[in-house]
Every structure is written in C-alpha cells, then in structure tokens.
C-alpha cells in the first residue's frame, strides 16, 4: 500500500490541504477545487471552506473536556472508551 504513495503525490496532497485552509475549496496553489479565487481568508470564490464552532456550552473547562472526550469516545471507539481501559 505504501508503494503507491510517492513523494510527488504526498507533496501535492499537502499543498491541497494547505490551500483548503488558506483559500477554501478552490484551485489556488494546488488546491482540490475547480474555481479560482486566490485571496487568503476570502472564501467567496471557493466552493466551500472549513469552519469551526464550539458545540459545547458547558459551565467549566472540566465539564467541556468531559463532553469532548465523550464525543471522541463515541466517534473513535463506538463508546467503548472508559476509565478502566
């Protein structure tokens, strides 16, 4: 499996990921999109962009951390993560 991944493909993938963060889903600097809109941080010409929102409105940092770990436990281990393992 590792034989099909060579350095040009790896560099192209990394360029595409950096472009996705900087310009949104466009073809700027080796991006994955089809549209050209190369203005850093302005995503209006791109097909889409990455966004982040805080989904947890917990009262304290400990409660928020527990909610995040619980969500990751569900996503990554189907809820099998516990304090004993």
């Amino acid at each position: 499996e590792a034989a099909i991944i060579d350095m040009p493909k790896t560099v192209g993938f990394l360029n595409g990921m950096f472009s996705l963060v900087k310009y949104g889903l466009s073809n700027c600097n080796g991006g994955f999109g089809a549209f050209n809109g190369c203005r850093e941080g302005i995503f209006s010409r791109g097909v889409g962009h990455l966004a982040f929102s805080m989904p947890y409105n917990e009262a304290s940092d400990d409660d928020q951390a527990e909610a995040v770990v619980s969500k990751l436990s569900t996503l990554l281990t189907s809820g099998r993560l516990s304090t004993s393992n």
Side-chain angles (χ1 to χ4, degrees):
E1 295 165 359
I4 62 172
I5 300 173
D6 55 2
M7 190 52 82
K9 290 177 186 160
T10 302
V11 170
F13 175 74
L14 289 174
N15 285 340
M17 294 306 291
F18 283 122
S19 174
L20 180 63
V21 171
K22 285 180 96 171
Y23 305 108
L25 190 57
S26 68
N27 64 353
C28 296
N29 296 336
F32 303 121
F35 298 107
N36 191 8
C38 297
R39 296 184 111 180
E40 186 174 339
I42 299 175
F43 307 113
S44 61
R45 289 188 167 182
V47 177
H49 65 277
L50 299 176
F52 175 76
S53 63
M54 292 288 286
Y56 306 106
N57 295 324
E58 309 299 332
S60 70
D61 289 342
D62 290 337
D63 292 339
Q64 184 171 347
E66 185 175 331
V68 170
V69 169
S70 174
K71 188 68 153 180
L72 286 174
S73 167
T74 301
L75 290 173
L76 299 176
T77 65
S78 300
R80 294 184 303 252
L81 184 66
S82 68
T83 57
S84 63
N85 54 4

